[in-house]
Amino acid sequence: MMIETDENFLVDAVGRRHARHAGPARIVSLVPSLTELVCDLGLTDQLVGRTGFCTHPREILKPIPKVGGTKDVNLVRLRELAPTHVIVNIDENRRECVEEIAEFVPHVIVTHPCAPEDNLAVFRLFGVIFGREAEAESLALDLQAALAEARAVGAGLPPERVLYLIWRDPWMSVARSTYISATLATVGWQSWPAEDVPRYPAFEWDAPWLGEVSRVFLSSEPYSFRDKHVAEVEVLAGRPAALIDGEMTSWYGSRAATGLRYLAALRRSLAGLE
């Protein structure tokens, strides 16, 4: 996501212009990972609403009112909170719902990071709008360092084709166009299938492309895969399988740097380097 600037404005993922906000804001975040970012930017006292899936940082968010889920926002409750800004995401939130919100909320900030490095623009966008430039710069520097570490690990090992499972019954994976796939690629893991498929394709275990996969990952979210599923998948795939923390691969925002370091350590560990 590219951010264009002039003296007073920033542009979000859909080209909407945002001014620097003067004074305290009333922020509602409808994106779990960006709720965490709002807190890490030091804006907790301006956060007046969140979804039920916004759980990090847990203790800080407990008293913050909920407005439903990411896909089923309670618009009546949202209106009662009188937000000045609502944070949404193209993949997480329904377009129809966002359009309704825009009718009564002055500022709807739309995000769409597609790769870990896109978080740099999100940090800058939030930092300038809410007057947290220094905090945003600190997060950006940490992310740049984590990207360099992860890319160095990926460059030092042979590329490996992996199947990343997000659901069972039906079995589902991720396409190359997803943020998850881009995050995995940073450490040299190429998600499969490679062809043009839906973003979250269902598949059968006799798919011909499975022969090109070296390893299978079972994500902790959205399906909560457990140890008992690993042996099942190893039999079905005929490949090594392992659990992986889904928050570390799919959560953008301030968790992106932690996620990249987690993946770099996991890549090294599975390669027998740690």
Side-chain angles (χ1 to χ4, degrees):
M1 180 175 71
M2 298 298 294
I3 298 296
E4 300 175 5
T5 64
D6 62 22
E7 184 176 352
N8 298 302
F9 293 90
L10 291 170
V11 180
D12 69 12
V14 293
R16 184 176 289 117
R17 295 165 67 85
H18 296 275
R20 300 170 187 266
H21 188 71
R26 293 182 59 82
I27 304 168
V28 173
S29 174
L30 303 181
V31 188
S33 58
L34 297 182
T35 301
E36 183 177 47
L37 173 59
V38 168
C39 295
D40 287 340
L41 286 171
L43 294 164
T44 304
D45 60 341
Q46 299 179 49
L47 183 66
V48 299
R50 63 180 174 101
T51 75
F53 298 106
C54 299
T55 56
H56 297 301
R58 193 172 303 276
E59 292 304 315
I60 290 176
L61 291 179
K62 277 184 178 179
I64 306 297
K66 300 176 185 177
V67 294
T70 56
K71 300 291 193 293
D72 55 347
V73 180
N74 184 331
L75 297 181
V76 173
R77 181 62 177 133
L78 179 62
R79 189 187 292 269
E80 291 172 349
L81 294 172
T84 58
H85 297 77
V86 172
I87 297 169
V88 301
N89 176 264
I90 287 176
D91 291 330
E92 292 270 3
N93 309 115
R94 294 188 302 109
R95 179 175 181 175
E96 298 81 5
C97 180
V98 172
E99 290 174 348
E100 288 188 65
I101 292 170
E103 293 178 2
F104 63 88
V105 174
H107 309 289
V108 177
I109 305 172
V110 183
T111 64
H112 188 45
C114 298
E117 53 269 29
D118 292 347
N119 288 290
L120 297 169
V122 178
F123 297 162
R124 183 182 183 189
L125 179 66
F126 287 15
V128 175
I129 290 174
F130 300 115
R132 290 294 189 274
E133 289 95 334
E135 292 84 349
E137 179 64 17
S138 178
L139 289 174
L141 290 173
D142 187 46
L143 177 57
Q144 288 169 334
L147 280 164
E149 294 167 22
R151 288 167 177 160
V153 170
L157 292 167
E160 189 174 51
R161 295 170 179 173
V162 301
L163 173 65
Y164 186 98
L165 299 180
I166 61 168
W167 203 256
R168 183 179 185 277
D169 194 23
W171 296 99
M172 297 178 69
S173 182
V174 297
R176 290 282 179 89
S177 58
T178 59
Y179 181 91
I180 292 172
S181 180
T183 303
L184 294 172
T186 308
V187 296
W189 275 325
Q190 302 172 339
S191 67
W192 230 247
E195 63 265 21
D196 186 20
V197 294
R199 286 172 64 77
Y200 304 104
F203 69 93
E204 301 293 340
W205 288 105
D206 59 356
W209 51 263
L210 278 170
E212 302 177 67
V213 170
S214 299
R215 186 182 304 279
V216 183
F217 286 120
L218 294 79
S219 178
S220 61
E221 63 171 38
Y223 189 92
S224 183
F225 283 107
R226 294 288 186 261
D227 288 328
K228 65 180 182 180
H229 299 113
V230 174
E232 175 190 16
V233 167
E234 285 186 334
V235 171
L236 290 169
R239 302 286 188 280
L243 298 176
I244 194 168
D245 188 333
E247 290 183 356
M248 295 299 179
T249 61
S250 66
W251 278 45
Y252 30 80
S254 46
R255 189 168 292 245
T258 303
L260 288 169
R261 291 189 174 105
Y262 164 86
L263 287 174
L266 182 61
R267 181 84 209 269
R268 288 176 57 85
S269 176
L270 292 176
L273 299 178
E274 291 185 355

